[in-house]
Amino acid sequence: MENIANTPVLEVILADAGTARYPYAENTSLSFSERGALLHIDFSEKIKNVQRQVQAGAKKLSASGYRKVKLVDSGSHQWTRELAYAFFIGFRTVKYGTDIVYPENLTVDTAFSVERNIISWLRDTIDMPASELTPLSYMNRLTELNRLCGNRLSIKVISGAELAAEKMVGLQTVGAGSANAPCMYELEYVPVVASSQVTVALVGKGITFDTGGYSLKPSDLMRSMHTDMGGSATVAAAAALLAAKDAGCRVKAYLCCAENMISGSAMRVGDIIRYPNGVSVVVDNTDAEGRLVLADGLIRAADADYIIDAATLTGAAKVALGRDYNAVLSLSSELSHAFLNAADNQGEYAWPLPFAGFHLGLVSSPLADITNSAGGDGIAGATSAAAFLSYFVPKEKHNSWIHVDLAASYRKTANDIYNVGAMGHGARTIAAMVEYLAAKQF
C-alpha cells in the first residue's frame, strides 16, 4: 500500500444541496472552494438516503485521486457517526485503503473506532489473495480480529485427523483436491452473564479459493474467487461487533474453510457424500461446493436457539438483486421481515427471495437423498441452494433459521458508491439481528 502519511489533507465539509457556487452547476453534489471539498446533501431525505449521498461523495473524491481527507464540521452540519461511517465505506479502495482524519468527537469515540476497524478488517480479509489467505493461515487474521474486539472471542480450529474424527465430511470432500488442508473454526463470545444455551449460531462459507473443481469455472468468473470466503469473514466480523459492545447474548460462529481445487484426489461429479445426520448427497456439480461445507457448520450449530448462515453462495442471487442487496431466505416470514428491518436500521440493503416448504423438494435425487445441484429449466438457484441447506438444519429449527446469500459482498466493478473490492456489507445487519433475536424484538 502506498505511503500516504505526508500527503496534504483535503478538508471535506457537509453542505446543503443546491448551494454550490459558480462556476459549478447549482445541483452539483460535489464542489470545491478555498475551504476544501463540499458535499452537497439533500438533508430532507430519509437518513438512509442521506447516508448514500455522503457515501457517493466519498467515492467520487476517492475516484478523483484524493487519498487523504479530513472531515470538518461546519456551522450548519456536523459529522455524525453514521455519516462518517458512510464516508469511510465509500472512500476506501483496495489499493490505497483509507486515510481519514475524523472530527475530535468521533476520534475519541471508542465504539465508533472499533466498529470501523472491524469493518476494515472484514473488507481487507475478503480482498486478500488466495496465495496469502488459506484455510489454516486464516487463523492469523482471526487473531487480529480478536485483538480488535478486546480479545473477547475464544477461537478453536479443527483440522486434520480431528476433522475426520468429527465427521466433517463436507469439508473433507471439498478440500481433498488442495495442498492446503481444510478446517473448521469455532469462535465463541460469552457475555459476563450468560445462559448455558447458545442464543444464536452463525455459520459462514469460507472457500478461500474456488476453481469450480472439475466443473471448472471460466477464467473471468474465477477472477474474484479469492472472495468466496466472504460469508465466513462476515459472520466473524458480526461476532466481533457483538463482543466489542459487550452484547448480552451468547454467540458461536462456525467458519467452514477449504479450497476447491483440482487434483487426483479432488471430488468428482457423481461422488456421494454421507453426512453424520444421515443425509446422503450426490455431487452433480463440483462448483456447488459452498453448500457442502456449510452443511458441516449447520450440523454443529443445531443446538442454538437461532441459526443464521451467510455465504457467497449463488450467482442466481446476484442475477436477481444485483450487487446492492443481500438475499434473505427464511421459512419464517417473521424472521425474514425482522432481518430486513435490521438491514434498514443499519443503512444496509437486504431483500427476501421466495422460500417455502414446497421448495425443499427441489433438491431431491434418484441417486441419493438430495443433490448439490438442482439444474433444469425454471429452477431458482438461490432458493434451491437454501432448500439444500435446510436438510442440515433440524426440522424443529426450520422457523428459527435464516439463510443470507451475500450478493452484496464484493464488487468486480465500481458503482456510484463503491470502488472495486469488498463492500463490508452485512456484518452490521447480522450483529443487529442477533441482538433482536436475543431480546425477542421481532
Side-chain angles (χ1 to χ4, degrees), residues 169-410:
V169 294
L171 284 163
Q172 290 178 274
T173 300
V174 173
S178 176
N180 293 306
C183 64
M184 170 76 76
Y185 290 99
E186 294 185 354
L187 281 56
E188 185 171 14
Y189 162 67
V190 180
V192 175
V193 179
S195 67
S196 60
Q197 179 70 6
V198 176
T199 302
V200 183
L202 309 176
V203 181
K205 173 185 172 184
I207 301 297
T208 57
F209 195 76
D210 181 19
T211 66
Y214 281 108
S215 304
L216 189 66
K217 292 179 184 289
S219 182
D220 184 58
L221 293 182
M222 213 184 295
R223 203 159 43 88
S224 60
M225 284 301 104
H226 62 289
T227 73
D228 208 19
M229 39 58 67
S232 63
T234 298
V235 299
L241 289 171
L242 291 162
K245 67 185 299 185
D246 294 321
C249 48
R250 187 177 175 200
V251 178
K252 291 193 79 168
Y254 301 88
L255 316 187
C256 313
C257 301
E259 278 190 337
N260 187 20
M261 304 291 280
I262 294 174
S263 72
S265 58
M267 65 175 166
R268 293 149 296 205
V269 172
D271 286 354
I272 293 179
I273 311 170
R274 293 177 172 83
Y275 286 85
N277 69 339
V279 176
S280 62
V281 177
V282 60
V283 178
D284 280 326
N285 186 336
T286 63
D287 195 22
E289 85 299 327
R291 62 201 71 183
L292 300 178
V293 302
L294 283 171
D296 288 337
L298 290 170
I299 290 171
R300 293 186 78 80
D303 290 337
D305 293 333
Y306 299 96
I307 301 170
I308 303 173
D309 78 77
T312 50
L313 204 58
T314 68
K318 290 188 283 287
V319 171
L321 302 178
R323 293 185 180 272
D324 300 302
Y325 285 79
N326 286 325
V328 182
L329 298 99
S330 178
L331 292 167
S332 165
S333 60
E334 197 172 25
L335 288 188
S336 181
H337 289 140
F339 194 92
L340 301 188
N341 288 335
D344 195 55
N345 290 337
Q346 295 300 316
E348 297 186 331
Y349 296 86
W351 198 255
L353 290 182
F355 188 39
F358 67 85
H359 285 125
L360 305 190
L362 288 175
V363 292
S364 61
S365 169
L367 303 177
D369 293 328
I370 56 175
T371 171
N372 80 323
S373 179
D377 184 39
I379 295 298
T383 298
S384 65
F388 177 96
L389 296 176
S390 73
Y391 285 82
F392 302 94
V393 177
K395 287 185 178 180
E396 65 273 16
K397 297 289 177 69
H398 274 188
N399 288 323
S400 303
W401 161 57
I402 303 169
H403 166 56
V404 186
D405 200 325
L406 292 170
S409 173
Y410 180 83

Side-chain angles (χ1 to χ4, degrees), residues 139-157:
M139 176 60 89
N140 298 326
R141 295 298 297 166
L142 295 174
T143 300
E144 171 62 15
L145 176 65
N146 199 18
R147 184 188 67 78
L148 294 176
C149 68
N151 294 309
R152 297 293 308 276
L153 298 172
S154 64
I155 304 174
K156 176 185 178 181
V157 60

Side-chain angles (χ1 to χ4, degrees), residues 4-26:
I4 55 177
N6 298 316
T7 305
V9 179
L10 173 73
E11 294 191 350
V12 182
I13 302 158
L14 296 171
D16 289 307
T19 60
R21 296 181 179 178
Y22 181 84
Y24 295 96
E26 184 178 332

Side-chain angles (χ1 to χ4, degrees), residues 413-433:
T413 56
N415 71 349
D416 61 323
I417 59 173
Y418 283 102
N419 290 292
V420 171
M423 297 163 68
H425 198 89
R428 296 210 308 168
T429 297
I430 291 172
M433 186 64 189

Side-chain angles (χ1 to χ4, degrees), residues 38-55:
L38 280 75
L39 302 186
H40 297 279
I41 306 298
D42 184 354
F43 287 98
S44 68
E45 294 272 0
K46 69 176 186 176
I47 183 61
K48 193 171 183 178
N49 290 339
V50 171
Q51 291 166 355
R52 188 178 180 93
Q53 292 175 65
V54 171
Q55 187 173 333

